[in-house]
Amino acid sequence: MNASIAKLFMVVVLLFALLIVWTSRWTVFESASLAANPLNRRTIVDELRVKRGRILADDGTVLAKSVPGPQQTWTRTYPTNSLFAQPVGYFNALEGQAFGLERSRTPELQGLQTGLSSVFGQLGGSQRVGDDVYTTLDPKAQRLAAHLLAGRAGSVVALNPQTGAVKVLYANPSYDDNHYNPATTSTFNRSTQSGYPPGSTFKVVTATAAIDSGRYTPNSIVNGKSPVTISGVPLNN
């Protein structure tokens, strides 16, 4: 190999190296910032063409699913309307809006890509389908919570004390995630975004501490006279 050919070979190798570096920069190392760029409309088009996975309740009830839209796109629909709107949330690729599980579980619902497909895209032109997300929510208990809160503002949350599984997560007022309008509808979730005094629910904590101290038993009688001074602070019942 003469000197001229060797130099040409090195130039070609250098160009390939630069091509790999810049391609990797945009498709791997800086892909997140590129996808989040508001000027990047391709991301929106790609999201519309993904059949997002379903979101299901503990008994298999479908809480969210994708239905065919125009021009080989998909849109989201919520069969239970406002019943699970706050935990499930809402997704609209065109408006760049996502709430609840639709937002926090987007990587799974969109379908995770391998490193190879993230660089070269979906091989063979096959449709991208997301994974289903299974929840521990109980539709029957959720409906009961909605019934008990009808006509008044409030929140009901029920957990399985053995596993921590969330069985009920309902707040009133709710909204219909099939017809969400940011101008007139609030997604404020009283269950997770608000703060309330613990009230009588805290009696379980204080009663446990009293029994553990050895000074009280389940049969002890406690003076409920009000007001009372605790650590120099007057408290009223």
Side-chain angles (χ1 to χ4, degrees):
M1 182 181 294
N2 59 40
S4 297
I5 295 177
K7 290 179 180 179
L8 178 61
F9 175 76
M10 292 303 298
V11 170
V12 172
V13 170
L14 179 61
L15 291 175
F16 267 108
L18 289 174
L19 178 62
I20 292 173
V21 168
W22 283 101
T23 302
S24 299
R25 175 194 174 191
W26 289 116
T27 60
V28 180
F29 302 111
E30 296 186 14
S31 60
S33 61
L34 181 63
N37 192 316
L39 298 178
N40 184 7
R41 306 296 295 179
R42 180 181 176 182
T43 301
I44 297 177
V45 174
D46 289 342
E47 288 183 345
L48 289 172
R49 291 179 176 173
V50 174
K51 184 180 180 181
R52 285 169 70 93
R54 300 173 300 168
I55 300 177
L56 301 104
D58 191 42
D59 65 354
T61 299
V62 177
L63 309 180
K65 64 179 180 179
S66 292
V67 295
Q71 299 180 349
Q72 297 182 331
T73 61
W74 296 88
T75 59
R76 294 296 267 178
T77 185
Y78 305 92
T80 57
N81 300 310
S82 61
L83 185 61
F84 288 94
Q86 285 150 342
V88 170
Y90 169 84
F91 176 80
N92 187 328
L94 285 175
E95 301 295 334
Q97 298 168 343
F99 306 100
L101 290 172
E102 288 278 33
R103 179 177 180 178
S104 63
R105 295 301 180 187
T106 283
E108 293 82 3
L109 292 168
Q110 289 286 95
L112 297 175
Q113 290 184 300
T114 65
L116 183 63
S117 62
S118 68
V119 175
F120 296 102
Q122 295 291 317
L123 300 178
S126 59
Q127 183 187 62
R128 184 170 152 196
V129 179
D131 299 321
D132 291 340
V133 170
Y134 295 84
T135 74
T136 56
L137 294 166
D138 184 333
K140 184 177 179 180
Q142 187 86 350
R143 283 192 291 270
L144 176 60
H147 173 72
L148 295 175
L149 278 180
R152 55 179 175 171
S155 170
V156 176
V157 178
L159 309 177
N160 183 325
Q162 277 74 41
T163 64
V166 179
K167 308 302 292 183
V168 175
L169 189 68
Y170 183 82
N172 198 41
S174 184
Y175 67 97
D176 187 347
D177 37 14
N178 287 299
H179 307 287
Y180 174 69
N181 184 345
T184 59
T185 308
S186 172
T187 59
F188 181 74
N189 188 346
R190 291 175 180 269
S191 301
T192 60
Q193 296 177 286
S194 187
Y196 301 93
S200 293
T201 61
F202 204 74
K203 290 178 180 177
V204 178
V205 179
T206 55
T208 301
I211 293 173
D212 285 347
S213 72
R215 297 175 58 187
Y216 300 90
T217 70
N219 297 319
S220 297
I221 298 176
V222 180
N223 188 348
K225 186 178 180 180
S226 179
V228 63
T229 301
I230 305 294
S231 299
V233 179
L235 299 175
N236 294 310
N237 186 349

